[in-house]
Amino acid sequence: MFRSVDDVTARLAETGYLASPAVATTVFLAARLGKPLLVEGPAGVGKTELAKAVAAITDARLIRLQCYEGVDESRALYEWNHAKQLLRITAGRDETWDQTRTDIFSEEFLLPRPLLAAIRGDDAKVLLIDEMDKADVEVEGLLLEVLSDFQVTVPELGTVTATRHPFVVLTSNASRELSEALRRRCLFLHIDFPDEELERRIVALKVPGLDEVLTASLVRVVGALRAMDLRKAPSVAETVDWARTLLALGADRLDEEVVRASLGVVLKHQEDVRAAAAKLDLDAV
Amino acid sequence: MSTPAHSTAATVPDRVTSLVRALRTHGIRIGTGESVDAARAVAVLGLADRDQLREGLAAALLHDRGQRAVFDPVFDLYFPRRVGAPGGDGPGDGARFEEKDFDRDGLRDRLAEALAASDRAAMAALAAEAVDGLGGYGSAPGSDGFSAQQTLERLRPQTLLARVRAALRAGGGESESGAFTDRVEADEIRRRIEDFRELVRAEARRRVAERRGTDEIARRMVVRTADRADFLYAGRSQLAELRRAVHPLARKLATRLAARRRRAARGHIDLRRTLRGSLSTGGVPMRPVLRRRRPARPELVLLCDVSGSVAGFANFTMLLVQALHDQFSRVRVFAFVNRVDEVTELIARGAADPEGLGGRITTEAAVTGWHGSSDYGGALTEFVERHAAALTSRSSVFVLGDARTNQMDPGLAALRRIARMARRTYWLNPEPRSQWDTGDSVAGAYGQIVPMYECRDARQLSALVGRLLPV
Ligand SMILES: Nc1ncnc2c1ncn2[C@@H]1O[C@H](COP(=O)(O)OP(=O)(O)OP(=O)(O)O)[C@@H](O)[C@H]1O
Ligand SMILES: [Mg+2]
């Protein structure tokens, strides 16, 4: 899949994802060892984006299971298409029940959900299980089963075994502790806020029109905000938004007025805005 | 080239095994599966790039972010900087430092430059040089060691702040003076200086390990994860790190409490009603009757000593409880030194500025009378007299403090009354158990009345809170 860690870095960069050495190394290793990758980190540091980028550079199909409270087997694994089955039953009135039954529990009436879809077929796939921490614990059990032998049993159809393992990425914001068993299955990657140099490059890539000196100042102020112990530290996504705002405002340098006018773009809570304004010596915001 | 002392013929697999063992002694659970992955990671990545090796091993061996603070220094010991780069010259044989005139000022000049340029590679090289020249102690080579603390005391990097700023100003370029970013500059430099201090610590550990054997040092190394930092000795930055951990920790605890609550709600078998019900089946208990729990959420009362060195502990716990407040029907927090005052409101407001919490309690609440040392007896008695209404049969009380009475009356009767009025009362003591009842501590006497637990760091606290908090 990849020749080296540098190969990962270079190819990710081509799709617009700038990976830190930690990210590139872990992706490379996950591909080589064939292990799922568990990615944790604060909101907006590029966890989801990473999975998409990996799919893009490996010409793989991205299959995404978006987790939420209450997601269950029928959403994650497969479901029978009941409506279609009913139609079929009514259509075939002169068959024996046995015939009908074999027929309605066949491929044609199966609705594969992400986990099943990811192990069927022999094209390359990236399976993204996004925001795993939002799902209930029961889903973890299901996942563990699928991830340990990459096979799924549909009682009426038999067992589907992957002929080609997907590259699996799980993401979590750690709002719930994932089970030890699931963690043990995975390689672990914590993506942190990027360092200054990397963040400057991300901004330059996403908001190419912004002046270089201004970009550097902006990244420094974001760094200071992150050190401030706020309720929600600004993420990369917010840095990029701020850069876009400054470009739209036509600002050519960072000054008190510009910061005061746009701080709300970077900080999402009013109390954070107030705390930051005090620390940055801004007059009332 | 002679074999460097530290790698005394240790093969890479051996080194991985030793690394795993050291991590385990520091409480990281690593199974055989992970060890195998670690070995495969080394095979796949090779040794050429030390950063890749570090990240790869971390990915294979760790399961959560907190473990990284343990992993990094241990990794540095087993894979010291030069090992990853064959051909780099090995470190000296350890007998290199003699009393030589060391150009401390020159080193400070170069450090100021590196800090201004934020040049990490240069900072690492200077850290090595500094430990070499300033950190050695003892005179006979071989009988002695290296001290990070001594290095830092002699070099005093923190005093370079003004110079680095001046250098940045003089350097012009991006930082025209009067720029908005001037406002964040001082903090940036402080963070870089803190990074440098950490580099010095790592270098000193590495040197000592060369002398005394890596395994020995790895085992005895004091790991500085914030959740293991002693509340009584935690420094400013550790307390800040702890405060940042409050919300994630609260979330974990909330999950745990919810699980306990669910379990409790399933109910216990009510023996009397089960038997009564069994009369209709000829005395055979066919249908167990479950005792339903009262749905009302419990009340929590915190009574905290906020004097001197125990203040950090009290403040952290207050923030944690505040973050958990929706788990309870009511949370009330009282603080004392020698007088008691309710600070519930201050804490609720303080969530936005947790750093200032300690300061606000001392300035805005009446916690001290005419002297400044803590008086447990006085405070407990005043609490019973003025705030007894806070205690109901639904409340759980946590008393926080080191039980050091300054030789005053401990007020045991008042604590007894509290214990009688509340549903549950616990005492959390931030001192190591071995120090209880020494000097003016009356931990033993209080511990006879209410259960007292040692609670020295955030890890112990969260375990206790998870176990003791009512659900
Ligand atoms: N290293 C990076 N290179 C390029 N873009 C990045 C990088 N990191 C973050 N981004 C940008 O940040 C945005 C947010 O990323 P993403 O949605 O993947 O975050 P996330 O970590 O999944 O957040 P959440 O936890 O909220 O789901 C993306 O749109 C992407 O443009
Ligand atoms: Mg996401």
Side-chain angles (χ1 to χ4, degrees):
Chain A
M1 212 164 162
F2 302 110
R3 267 174 292 126
S4 63
V5 175
D6 291 341
D7 182 39
V8 176
T9 312
R11 282 158 64 187
L12 283 174
E14 276 167 31
T15 65
Y17 192 92
L18 302 182
S20 66
V23 169
T25 305
T26 319
V27 167
F28 176 70
L29 208 54
R32 277 296 163 94
L33 303 191
K35 293 201 78 175
L37 181 57
L38 169 60
V39 187
E40 283 191 346
V45 290
K47 301 185 293 295
T48 305
E49 195 74 12
L50 174 62
K52 294 184 185 164
V54 169
I57 60 174
T58 52
D59 284 325
R61 185 151 59 93
L62 180 74
I63 298 180
R64 178 172 180 171
L65 171 60
Q66 180 64 48
C67 296
Y68 50 88
E69 216 179 312
V71 64
D72 60 4
E73 254 191 69
S74 65
R75 293 282 137 196
L77 204 53
Y78 67 86
E79 197 176 16
W80 289 105
N81 188 340
H82 297 304
K84 202 167 162 193
Q85 284 177 324
L86 274 178
L87 282 176
R88 171 69 186 73
I89 293 169
T90 18
R93 283 194 193 287
D94 35 359
E95 287 172 342
T96 67
W97 168 240
D98 273 346
Q99 278 176 319
T100 318
R101 190 175 51 194
T102 4
D103 205 33
I104 59 172
F105 287 113
S106 63
E107 248 342 287
E108 194 191 339
F109 298 90
L110 188 71
L111 294 172
R113 302 298 186 199
L115 295 185
L116 180 57
I119 63 171
R120 293 207 311 180
D122 29 41
D123 54 331
K125 287 173 285 286
V126 169
L127 170 61
L128 165 62
I129 300 166
D130 212 7
E131 313 198 5
M132 183 61 214
D133 51 331
K134 303 251 166 66
D136 309 297
V137 192
E138 294 74 51
V139 180
E140 277 188 32
L142 187 66
L143 252 179
L144 269 174
E145 267 178 59
V146 176
L147 295 184
S148 54
D149 12 287
F150 287 96
Q151 60 180 34
V152 169
T153 301
V154 183
E156 298 86 349
L157 280 183
T159 300
V160 187
T161 309
T163 47
R164 180 169 183 171
H165 288 195
F167 185 96
V168 183
V169 179
L170 296 96
T171 80
S172 161
N173 272 328
S175 66
R176 170 173 74 76
E177 261 181 293
L178 302 182
S179 75
E180 182 91 359
L182 186 60
R183 289 176 177 280
R184 281 182 190 286
R185 264 286 143 246
C186 304
L187 290 183
F188 177 72
L189 170 65
H190 184 274
I191 304 190
D192 221 326
F193 298 121
D195 63 21
E196 255 184 65
E197 196 254 345
L198 180 57
E199 192 156 24
R200 273 201 305 264
R201 281 170 40 217
I202 295 175
V203 173
L205 184 75
K206 306 265 161 182
V207 194
L210 199 68
D211 172 75
E212 208 175 303
V213 177
L214 180 53
T215 301
S217 309
L218 170 104
V219 167
R220 285 175 63 191
V221 174
V222 169
L225 292 172
R226 285 181 191 145
M228 268 181 206
D229 205 6
L230 300 169
R231 262 180 70 181
K232 186 182 175 307
S235 71
V236 182
E238 272 110 32
T239 312
V240 172
D241 285 347
W242 201 17
R244 291 209 175 100
T245 308
L246 294 185
L247 190 64
L249 288 176
D252 53 0
R253 60 199 289 272
L254 216 51
D255 60 26
E256 166 136 8
E257 210 172 312
V258 169
V259 175
R260 201 188 311 135
S262 56
L263 202 55
V265 177
V266 209
L267 299 177
K268 299 301 176 199
H269 295 282
Q270 204 45 44
E271 64 202 78
D272 284 353
V273 173
R274 250 179 277 125
K279 292 237 167 86
L280 291 174
D281 276 333
L282 299 180
D283 300 335
V285 181
Chain B
M1 198 182 80
S2 65
T3 317
H6 61 267
S7 59
T8 35
T11 63
V12 171
D14 282 350
R15 228 182 290 155
V16 173
T17 313
S18 306
L19 171 84
V20 167
R21 200 179 310 123
L23 291 172
R24 284 186 183 135
T25 55
H26 287 287
I28 297 185
R29 296 231 299 273
I30 297 173
T32 32
E34 291 98 309
S35 311
V36 172
D37 285 344
R40 289 170 70 200
V42 175
V44 166
L45 294 169
L47 295 174
D49 187 319
R50 184 168 173 266
D51 287 332
Q52 287 179 8
L53 190 61
R54 178 197 296 274
E55 298 303 336
L57 285 173
L61 293 172
L62 306 186
H63 301 299
D64 69 59
R65 184 201 185 188
Q67 298 172 332
R68 191 66 196 238
V70 180
F71 174 84
D72 279 332
V74 175
F75 176 87
D76 285 337
L77 284 181
Y78 286 98
F79 295 89
R81 209 171 301 279
R82 285 158 181 101
V83 169
D89 63 321
D93 60 3
R96 227 174 68 202
F97 75 89
E98 301 119 34
E99 297 301 321
K100 56 183 172 190
D101 345 51
F102 182 78
D103 181 11
R104 194 185 72 116
D105 291 337
L107 184 62
R108 278 171 60 88
D109 290 344
R110 281 180 292 143
L111 179 57
E113 261 169 49
L115 288 168
S118 189
D119 181 345
R120 247 191 97 81
M123 279 159 60
L126 291 167
E129 214 177 301
V131 172
D132 194 44
L134 300 171
Y137 58 86
S139 47
S143 68
D144 32 33
F146 289 92
S147 156
Q149 198 183 341
Q150 178 182 305
T151 309
L152 292 169
E153 269 163 17
R154 292 187 179 164
L155 192 61
R156 307 210 303 136
Q158 67 279 15
T159 58
L160 289 173
L161 179 65
R163 275 181 57 186
V164 175
R165 287 197 88 162
L168 283 172
R169 293 290 145 72
E174 297 182 10
S175 48
E176 42 174 326
S177 76
F180 185 81
T181 40
D182 289 356
R183 303 180 192 195
V184 301
E185 193 175 71
D187 282 331
E188 287 173 344
I189 299 168
R190 274 190 208 103
R191 288 201 291 275
R192 282 177 216 163
I193 292 175
E194 191 46 45
D195 285 347
F196 175 75
R197 298 168 70 94
E198 196 47 51
L199 287 168
V200 167
R201 289 185 200 109
E203 177 64 15
R205 270 195 301 265
R206 189 183 69 73
R207 297 274 170 130
V208 177
E210 254 171 44
R211 291 283 172 92
R212 289 206 233 126
T214 307
D215 292 337
E216 168 77 6
I217 299 310
R219 197 163 46 245
R220 295 194 324 182
M221 185 180 68
V222 183
V223 183
R224 305 185 333 125
T225 46
D227 66 340
R228 284 237 172 132
D230 217 307
F231 283 130
L232 294 178
Y233 308 109
R236 245 183 61 88
S237 71
Q238 279 177 327
L239 287 175
E241 202 176 319
L242 274 176
R243 278 192 304 266
R244 276 194 293 280
V246 161
H247 286 282
L249 183 58
R251 273 201 303 269
K252 285 183 189 171
L253 284 171
T255 325
R256 213 181 305 168
L257 294 178
R260 267 178 54 203
R261 194 172 297 130
R262 264 198 309 278
R263 233 175 294 138
R266 253 178 251 142
H268 302 283
I269 292 179
D270 185 332
L271 202 57
R272 209 156 47 87
R273 286 171 56 205
T274 305
L275 289 177
R276 199 186 317 134
S278 74
L279 292 179
S280 61
T281 52
V284 183
M286 299 289 282
R287 298 174 53 208
V289 179
L290 295 182
R291 190 182 285 149
R292 302 309 302 186
R293 284 190 74 260
R294 276 168 307 188
R297 297 204 161 183
E299 296 173 3
L300 190 65
V301 175
L302 227 53
L303 186 53
C304 315
D305 181 356
V306 292
S307 68
S309 59
V310 295
F313 168 50
N315 292 344
F316 177 72
T317 312
M318 289 173 178
L319 289 171
L320 183 63
V321 164
Q322 167 62 24
L324 281 168
H325 72 275
D326 53 2
Q327 299 289 318
F328 304 97
S329 65
R330 183 129 206 235
V331 175
R332 295 183 69 178
V333 184
F334 298 86
F336 66 89
V337 174
N338 44 55
R339 301 206 35 208
V340 183
D341 200 3
E342 176 156 12
V343 295
T344 312
E345 279 307 307
L346 280 180
I347 290 164
R349 277 194 281 128
D353 175 25
E355 282 167 69
L357 179 63
R360 274 197 315 278
I361 289 177
T362 15
T363 53
E364 293 179 34
V367 290
T368 47
W370 50 273
H371 64 96
S373 47
S374 41
D375 172 2
Y376 279 79
L380 291 170
T381 308
E382 188 187 356
F383 177 76
V384 171
E385 282 165 4
R386 288 182 44 210
H387 302 291
L391 303 178
T392 72
S393 60
R394 292 240 315 276
S395 46
S396 291
V397 179
F398 283 76
V399 184
L400 273 53
D402 59 5
R404 295 203 170 268
T405 55
N406 290 302
Q407 318 291 356
M408 286 181 269
D409 175 8
L412 298 178
L415 183 61
R416 247 179 240 118
R417 281 198 59 195
I418 294 174
R420 255 201 317 275
M421 282 189 282
R423 191 152 85 105
R424 297 248 160 69
T425 306
Y426 305 101
W427 191 302
L428 306 184
N429 189 333
E431 277 196 347
R433 204 175 272 276
S434 59
Q435 285 172 28
W436 295 6
D437 287 328
T438 61
D440 60 344
S441 162
V442 292
Y446 288 138
Q448 300 260 300
I449 303 171
V450 299
M452 185 177 285
Y453 297 90
E454 180 189 87
C455 185
R456 293 169 60 187
D457 52 35
R459 182 178 292 228
Q460 273 183 336
L461 177 67
S462 63
L464 285 168
V465 165
R467 197 150 52 93
L468 301 179
L469 273 192
V471 291

